[in-house]
Amino acid sequence: MKITSVTAVPIRARRHTPMVATQGSIDVSEFGVVRVDTDEGLTGWGEIAMSWGRVGRALCRDVELTLGPTVNGLDPRDLPRCAAAMEQRLPLPMDGGHAARAGVEMALLDVAGKAAGLPAYQLLGGRARDTVPVAWPIPWGTVEATVAAAEEAVAAGFPTVKLKIGRAGRLDETVVAAVRAAVGDDIAIKVDANMAYRSANQALAALRPLERHGLQLIEQPLPPRDLDELARLRDRLETPLLLDESCWELRDVGEIVRRGAGDVLNVYVTEMGGPAQAVKAFAAGEAAGLVGLLGSQCELGLATAACAHVGVVVSNLAYESDVVGPLRYVRDIVHEPPVIAGGVLVPPDRPGLGVEVDPEAIEAMRC
């Protein structure tokens, strides 16, 4: 089997409510849909999902002008060979290049699964669990709005809520205290600073008061390359430190381990360059005794399916993941997104990624 064509279409997906955090506010996601065709008539689909920096239209051009010609003529079932070719042409540190590569790799995995008649999780190593536990992320908002969102999440069966922090003054502490009082002690609360602080001392002053209310995890309080400062902070916190922006490619895992900068890895399928690359990142962490969870760019149904397949495969998934994107949007690009209910994400059992694209939706959302 040979790849004959790789194309990408940019789309805009409107969210029910904006995501507001340190980086800004997003009410519409500009993503991309990748299509891989083969000489045997099989078609695979992938999704470009990146919320910041270079997004849909620019990354679709990366696919059509650089990545597509690179893998054209290769066998889509040879994922390592295709991934190596894309790595050589578009290295991960390129702004957004990881998401473009991830969209192509998803489509290749979709084709490979369809050719074998197997769901993607079987090609990635087989299941370690049946479902992926998930949390409900809550953006910046008033105390009252945040408490209401947390209560709705608990009522929907989510065992963990994730609160965005990083605001000046004592507002973060007030919000965390109010949410804890509202949801009780049986619901886990994790907080995400999105690199809001500039030093370990500043972060410690802001985070210590929050720890009094019982936190599950503290996510990325400092800039991504401040690993030594993160290590200093980690030694002084009681709560495990979750690294997100510091963990965007496979080599980052080695640096985190070498410097003792974190306790938990936040691995994104989109940021690692695809499902197979994400599985490698989890394995690298496991070899060093680290656990992880799956991060999210608020993906639509295609990429959420890819995340679900990764999540049931990796053995060191230790906390609830953030992959609940399809619940955030007015319309999806697949007919039936993966099921998210009762605090878990369920991987489709059909061959490949296991979801069917909706051509009318893609055309309507095209930008």
Side-chain angles (χ1 to χ4, degrees):
M1 185 190 305
K2 303 297 181 184
I3 298 168
T4 57
S5 174
V6 180
T7 56
V9 173
I11 59 165
R12 288 171 60 86
R14 184 164 298 279
R15 303 188 184 200
H16 291 295
T17 57
M19 175 56 72
V20 185
T22 303
Q23 304 102 312
S25 176
I26 298 178
D27 59 357
V28 177
S29 297
E30 185 180 312
F31 288 167
V33 179
V34 177
R35 173 173 176 161
V36 170
D37 290 300
T38 68
D39 61 355
E40 294 187 11
L42 288 176
T43 297
W45 298 90
E47 179 184 329
I48 300 168
M50 181 53 59
S51 298
W52 311 99
R54 293 172 68 245
V55 290
R57 281 169 286 192
L59 299 181
C60 285
R61 286 194 292 271
D62 285 349
V63 169
E64 295 208 327
L65 298 178
T66 303
L67 298 177
T70 299
V71 299
N72 214 28
L74 299 180
D75 190 327
R77 296 167 295 186
D78 293 337
L79 284 176
R81 176 175 292 171
C82 293
M86 290 192 291
E87 160 74 24
Q88 187 173 10
R89 288 298 306 276
L90 194 66
L92 279 181
M94 297 293 291
D95 183 21
H98 37 41
R101 282 176 47 187
V104 176
E105 186 171 280
M106 289 178 208
L108 298 177
L109 184 63
D110 192 33
V111 169
K114 291 172 179 176
L118 295 171
Y121 61 73
Q122 293 288 3
L123 302 186
L124 292 172
R127 287 181 293 184
R129 62 188 59 78
D130 293 326
T131 60
V132 182
V134 289
W136 184 252
I138 301 173
W140 280 357
T142 65
V143 176
E144 294 76 16
T146 305
V147 167
E151 290 175 333
E152 290 176 7
V154 172
F158 289 96
T160 300
V161 293
K162 173 177 173 175
L163 306 180
K164 294 289 187 177
I165 61 169
R167 291 176 284 187
R170 300 189 62 183
L171 182 55
D172 288 340
E173 182 184 3
T174 301
V175 167
V176 171
V179 170
R180 173 57 71 205
V183 302
D185 293 335
D186 292 335
I187 299 299
I189 298 175
K190 58 181 175 179
V191 296
D192 182 6
N194 286 116
M195 310 172 288
Y197 313 115
R198 300 279 73 96
S199 70
N201 288 341
Q202 183 192 14
L204 192 65
L207 296 171
R208 275 257 173 86
L210 308 189
E211 287 193 300
R212 292 198 290 265
H213 303 289
L215 301 179
Q216 181 197 62
L217 296 167
I218 294 172
E219 183 173 349
Q220 200 69 47
L222 298 176
R225 297 305 166 212
D226 288 359
L227 296 182
D228 293 334
E229 281 288 280
L230 283 163
R232 288 182 60 232
L233 179 61
R234 177 192 175 212
D235 288 341
R236 298 159 74 183
L237 289 172
E238 297 177 3
T239 307
L241 196 57
L242 169 65
L243 296 188
D244 171 356
E245 286 87 352
S246 294
C247 186
W248 274 34
E249 56 179 311
L250 192 57
R251 72 184 70 182
D252 290 341
V253 178
E255 281 299 301
I256 290 167
V257 171
R258 187 172 69 84
R259 300 201 205 180
D263 301 288
V264 185
L265 303 176
N266 194 355
V267 178
Y268 287 64
V269 170
T270 55
E271 293 167 9
M272 281 292 165
Q277 311 315 309
V279 171
K280 287 182 184 179
F282 273 101
E286 184 178 22
L290 294 181
V291 296
L293 57 83
L294 282 167
S296 174
Q297 287 285 344
C298 205
E299 298 88 354
L300 289 157
L302 270 170
T304 297
C307 293
H309 288 291
V310 171
V312 296
V313 166
V314 296
S315 58
N316 55 330
L317 189 82
Y319 294 94
E320 291 80 13
S321 296
D322 298 337
V323 189
V324 294
L327 302 180
R328 300 282 193 188
Y329 291 101
V330 174
R331 188 175 189 179
D332 210 301
I333 54 176
V334 299
H335 286 293
E336 295 181 8
V339 173
I340 304 170
V344 298
L345 166 65
V346 183
D349 282 326
R350 294 183 294 277
L353 295 183
V355 290
E356 181 184 354
V357 299
D358 182 344
E360 290 185 5
I362 293 172
E363 188 58 34
M365 297 161 71
R366 187 170 185 151
C367 64

